[in-house]
Amino acid sequence: MNLFVINTDLKDDAVDAEHHWFDRGIAVTSGGQRYRNGLKRPREGDLLALYVNGRGIAAVGRAVDDVVVEVHGDDLVNPKESEEYHRAVVWQYDLREAPITIPALRDLRIFGQNAVSQVKLSSAYQGFLQLLAGRAAKPQSDRTELRRSAALVQRTGPLKRPAGARKPLQRPAPCMVFDRDPAVKAWTLRRSKGLCECCRQKAPFTDKDGLPYLESHHIVHLANGGPDTPDNAASVCPNCHRELHHAGEARRRELTDKLRRHVLETEEASGGVLA
């Protein structure tokens, strides 16, 4: 996954949520063909960091596809521009209230003044990920995006136990879905050490992000009012996950009690930090 810094001239009054660039899921730039061509450089799946002039990095996310859209009129984010270039993004970190500062970027030799710049030095790339450590990842309701965001959280370094959400936001969809904290998923995966937290067997395979494939299970189901927090979440293998949901009542209760005990024990032993 490559990292690109996208320069935008949005001013302070255009960083607010009502200007929609974050809610619309787009990286925005303008300034002629040099900027348009620069925005074409990242490939689908690459990491994009939106650099707002005078402020720093205001958002980080994943490029959805390879398409750059030329925008005019009512679809402009900044109505003062005659033309903008948009790139679809799944935002994974909302940093608008506390951007990654320009001095912090300079220390890594990352500069946002270019139209689009790729961070090629591995030390700068890793340093940038470390700047995300401890910052709240954007909740995700889509399971694939939750997995991808959790993988990004894992790459930021040692993890502190996240607060999660006692009452995760529920959204209407073809079926009801919940906004879940990627940091909670990242925490439980790190806590598991690659072993199912139910049967304690090794994860069946490695996923697309190079991480052990384990599924998230909430001991008290979210649909039943359970929280999305580390003490109510576990990483389990697909077989145990199915059994936890579909076995007979006595067996489900036995597995759930076993899992609850294990989670509480490992949470206490963690001390609130996982290297």
Side-chain angles (χ1 to χ4, degrees), residues 36-135:
R36 188 181 193 281
N37 292 337
L39 199 57
K40 289 182 178 179
R41 290 176 58 199
R43 300 272 67 87
E44 177 183 345
D46 282 343
L47 202 60
L48 306 184
L50 193 68
Y51 176 92
V52 178
N53 279 331
R55 289 175 56 84
I57 301 295
V60 177
R62 181 186 65 83
V64 172
D65 52 35
D66 295 331
V67 178
V68 174
V69 180
E70 193 171 301
V71 174
H72 307 84
D74 292 341
D75 289 331
L76 292 168
V77 171
N78 185 351
K80 296 178 182 179
E81 298 286 353
S82 60
E83 178 179 87
E84 288 178 343
Y85 316 114
H86 293 182
R87 187 77 186 262
V89 181
V90 174
W91 294 118
Q92 296 166 306
Y93 283 89
D94 180 0
L95 310 176
R96 290 171 293 173
E97 294 299 319
I100 295 175
T101 64
I102 295 170
L105 295 172
R106 285 177 179 157
D107 287 344
L108 296 174
R109 300 185 65 81
I110 295 175
F111 305 99
Q113 288 85 353
N114 297 326
V116 176
S117 56
Q118 183 177 356
V119 178
K120 294 184 178 181
L121 288 175
S122 60
S123 59
Y125 189 115
Q126 292 302 319
F128 181 83
L129 294 182
Q130 290 169 13
L131 292 176
L132 295 175
R135 290 177 175 260

Side-chain angles (χ1 to χ4, degrees), residues 10-224:
L10 296 174
K11 304 303 181 184
D12 287 355
D13 62 350
V15 176
D16 296 333
E18 63 265 27
H19 287 79
H20 305 310
W21 64 266
F22 189 89
D23 293 338
R24 286 168 62 182
I26 50 175
V28 183
T29 192
S30 60
Q33 288 302 308
R34 182 168 68 94
Y35 284 79
R36 188 181 193 281
N37 292 337
L39 199 57
K40 289 182 178 179
R41 290 176 58 199
R43 300 272 67 87
E44 177 183 345
D46 282 343
L47 202 60
L48 306 184
L50 193 68
Y51 176 92
V52 178
N53 279 331
R55 289 175 56 84
I57 301 295
V60 177
R62 181 186 65 83
V64 172
D65 52 35
D66 295 331
V67 178
V68 174
V69 180
E70 193 171 301
V71 174
H72 307 84
D74 292 341
D75 289 331
L76 292 168
V77 171
N78 185 351
K80 296 178 182 179
E81 298 286 353
S82 60
E83 178 179 87
E84 288 178 343
Y85 316 114
H86 293 182
R87 187 77 186 262
V89 181
V90 174
W91 294 118
Q92 296 166 306
Y93 283 89
D94 180 0
L95 310 176
R96 290 171 293 173
E97 294 299 319
I100 295 175
T101 64
I102 295 170
L105 295 172
R106 285 177 179 157
D107 287 344
L108 296 174
R109 300 185 65 81
I110 295 175
F111 305 99
Q113 288 85 353
N114 297 326
V116 176
S117 56
Q118 183 177 356
V119 178
K120 294 184 178 181
L121 288 175
S122 60
S123 59
Y125 189 115
Q126 292 302 319
F128 181 83
L129 294 182
Q130 290 169 13
L131 292 176
L132 295 175
R135 290 177 175 260
K138 181 179 179 292
Q140 304 285 351
S141 57
D142 179 87
R143 290 186 179 183
T144 299
E145 296 304 337
L146 177 69
R147 174 182 60 78
R148 288 167 172 160
S149 291
L152 179 58
V153 172
Q154 290 245 49
R155 294 189 185 103
T156 64
L159 302 181
K160 293 184 179 180
R161 182 188 291 124
R166 302 306 302 182
K167 293 184 178 180
L169 181 64
Q170 193 172 14
R171 297 178 181 274
C175 60
M176 294 301 291
V177 295
F178 292 87
D179 279 356
R180 291 166 52 194
D181 187 348
V184 171
K185 184 174 177 67
W187 172 269
T188 61
L189 284 169
R190 182 77 59 88
R191 186 183 65 198
S192 75
K193 299 180 180 179
L195 303 178
C196 171
E197 294 191 288
C198 187
C199 68
R200 309 302 297 145
Q201 296 300 305
K202 187 177 178 182
F205 59 89
T206 300
D207 67 17
K208 295 177 181 178
D209 297 301
L211 299 173
Y213 181 82
L214 294 169
E215 299 176 352
S216 293
H217 176 74
H218 289 83
I219 298 168
V220 179
H221 299 171
L222 299 182
N224 294 335

